[in-house]
Amino acid sequence: MFHAPLVSSIVLTDMRGQIINAGTWPSISTLDLSYMVKQTIGTNIQSIETVSAVKRTIFHSGMEAIQFYMFKENQPLTENMVEQAAEVVQIFMNLWGQNYEAVNTQELVKAILNDESVKMRRLGAVLHIDVGNISNVWFVHVEEPTLQAIVMRQLKEEMTSHFNVLLVELFEQTIAVFMDEGKTNEGFDTIAFEVSKKLQQEGICHTIVQYLGMGTTSDVQAAYSKMKEYFEQAKFLYPKQRMFTQLHFQFVAECEKRIAEGEKSIHQALGPLQPLIKQPELLDTLAVFLLDAQSHYAKAGKLLYVHMNTIKYRIKRINELVHYSVTKLPESLTYYRAIAIWRLLKNTEKR
């Protein structure tokens, strides 16, 4: 790449400093490009040991796209040489019509989610991304597709400082975010909450699905498949929820399996609710209280547009009718599952 007349080594990185492509000159050079990239600071030509080095930003559509590095061993770089080389890269960036980084990382994300191990590791090596350290993934859904690019950019900006390895790409209309264990003490829930809060403030309707502690890419692929299969049911079961975990989808899958087993299984699952069947107001209250308000009286009242004391009265009445406390373990587990199946059946009838 640019062997003559510039006779210099060229490196292209993403905005996080991860190498996208590189070409050394001379070809037998043993120059440690990763080391040189880390040592090169600012846009002015500098000397690093026996190497003349410089960094420039390449733009696309008015936004920072990639970083361009140029290294010349044993001889100084000149501003004219740097401008020539950077101009060529900028021209190609304009002609490509899209971010060069995205083309490659999209393929890497596709390989991970398709569980293509060989391709994944090859692309990871080319991109200098340690896929072996990726153990956590978010699947971010944006209701308005035209806002996906904005959300992806915000995710990169918000999360780069938290992780050593971060991939944010679009896959089948879902934004996939791959992360390592992170380099800060902030938990994933805290980061997700802050990201979600900012998106809400901008009026962007979204959901974040967290799959944490994935052992292999096969686990990631299986997680994506389960999420994709049960996403609509999960949204129906938890209409107020913006953040989900793998346990939500595991629970939805178990409920759907119970429904699929037929009338006898459904009848048994709904048995605990029989005393409430002819009182739809109490059933709706129980569903909102357990599924949407996480057993918080005030939150349930807000969602149902009634006073908190009204919710307390209705829950007390429910307890009297079913002869158990729906707010205490282990009884609450039985009623949580029953009311979830009841709500999913309402969606099944619509479908």
Side-chain angles (χ1 to χ4, degrees):
M1 183 183 282
F2 307 114
H3 288 183
L6 301 178
V7 291
S8 304
S9 298
I10 302 292
V11 177
L12 302 179
T13 76
D14 61 19
M15 298 308 296
R16 302 181 297 275
Q18 294 177 337
I19 295 176
I20 297 170
N21 212 333
T24 57
W25 184 263
S27 58
I28 59 172
S29 172
T30 58
L31 190 65
D32 186 340
L33 296 178
S34 296
Y35 171 79
M36 295 303 300
V37 165
K38 292 177 181 178
Q39 297 301 311
T40 305
I41 304 171
T43 58
N44 295 324
I45 298 172
Q46 64 183 100
S47 295
I48 303 173
E49 298 171 0
T50 61
V51 179
S52 185
V54 70
K55 175 177 75 170
R56 296 290 161 86
T57 300
I58 304 298
F59 291 82
H60 177 62
S61 298
M63 296 184 61
E64 295 179 340
I66 59 175
Q67 297 283 15
F68 161 85
Y69 294 82
M70 190 170 180
F71 307 113
K72 193 171 180 65
E73 299 179 67
N74 303 313
Q75 294 182 42
L77 284 168
T78 67
E79 193 63 35
N80 185 50
M81 294 166 64
V82 175
E83 290 300 324
Q84 284 185 56
E87 184 179 356
V88 170
V89 175
Q90 183 66 70
I91 289 171
F92 273 96
M93 176 62 72
N94 295 338
L95 291 174
W96 287 331
Q98 57 183 330
N99 192 321
Y100 182 85
E101 170 203 356
V103 175
N104 290 278
T105 54
Q106 280 175 359
E107 288 301 313
L108 176 56
V109 167
K110 190 184 298 183
I112 293 172
L113 290 175
N114 287 330
D115 197 21
E116 300 173 294
S117 298
V118 175
K119 182 179 179 181
M120 173 195 70
R121 297 186 184 286
R122 178 174 58 81
L123 288 171
V126 170
L127 295 170
H128 294 265
I129 296 174
D130 188 353
V131 293
N133 280 336
I134 294 174
S135 56
N136 306 290
V137 58
W138 289 0
F139 297 117
V140 182
H141 295 259
V142 181
E143 289 190 16
E144 178 51 61
T146 58
L147 299 176
Q148 288 171 339
I150 295 173
V151 173
M152 288 173 63
R153 184 169 65 248
Q154 290 187 358
L155 286 168
K156 290 179 182 179
E157 290 173 355
E158 292 290 332
M159 300 175 69
T160 295
S161 62
H162 294 286
F163 301 96
N164 295 304
V165 179
L166 177 68
L167 281 173
V168 182
E169 288 299 342
L170 191 65
F171 181 80
E172 296 181 346
Q173 298 306 306
T174 298
I175 300 173
V177 184
F178 291 92
M179 302 154 279
D180 58 6
E181 287 300 322
K183 53 187 177 183
T184 67
N185 292 325
E186 282 193 273
F188 286 91
D189 286 343
T190 301
I191 297 171
F193 177 80
E194 290 300 322
V195 168
S196 181
K197 183 179 177 181
K198 289 185 179 181
L199 292 178
Q200 287 182 60
Q201 290 172 346
E202 296 182 20
I204 299 175
C205 295
H206 66 283
T207 56
I208 298 174
V209 181
Q210 293 193 86
Y211 278 86
L212 308 179
M214 298 286 98
T216 66
T217 52
S218 295
D219 294 335
V220 175
Q221 200 276 335
Y224 176 76
S225 296
K226 178 165 282 190
M227 183 273 300
K228 187 177 179 182
E229 181 178 0
Y230 294 107
F231 183 74
E232 292 304 321
Q233 293 96 313
K235 286 290 292 177
F236 185 86
L237 184 58
Y238 302 104
K240 306 298 182 182
Q241 194 103 357
R242 292 194 181 275
M243 290 186 286
F244 294 85
T245 69
Q246 58 262 51
L247 294 180
H248 286 99
F249 288 91
Q250 182 178 317
F251 178 69
V252 171
E254 291 170 357
C255 291
E256 285 287 322
K257 180 183 178 183
R258 194 74 180 264
I259 292 171
E261 288 173 350
E263 287 302 314
K264 183 178 180 180
S265 176
I266 293 171
H267 181 73
Q268 289 176 342
L270 296 181
L273 301 179
Q274 284 305 311
L276 310 176
I277 290 300
K278 294 183 179 180
Q279 301 198 49
E281 184 179 70
L282 293 183
L283 278 172
D284 285 330
T285 298
L286 183 61
V288 170
F289 180 73
L290 292 180
L291 300 174
D292 303 325
Q294 293 82 46
S295 299
H296 293 162
Y297 292 101
K299 187 174 181 180
K302 188 175 181 180
L303 291 172
L304 288 170
Y305 302 101
V306 298
H307 195 274
M308 177 177 68
N309 288 338
T310 301
I311 300 297
K312 287 184 177 180
Y313 171 78
R314 291 179 185 175
I315 295 300
K316 181 174 179 294
R317 181 63 181 145
I318 290 170
N319 290 340
E320 291 171 351
L321 289 171
V322 302
H323 303 295
Y324 289 102
S325 173
V326 298
T327 62
K328 295 180 180 179
L329 291 171
E331 293 93 333
S332 59
L333 288 175
T334 299
Y335 290 95
Y336 189 95
R337 183 180 297 105
I339 203 67
I341 291 174
W342 174 80
R343 183 179 274 184
L344 285 170
L345 280 169
K346 291 174 67 176
N347 189 37
T348 302
E349 290 167 5
K350 290 181 180 181
R351 286 182 289 172

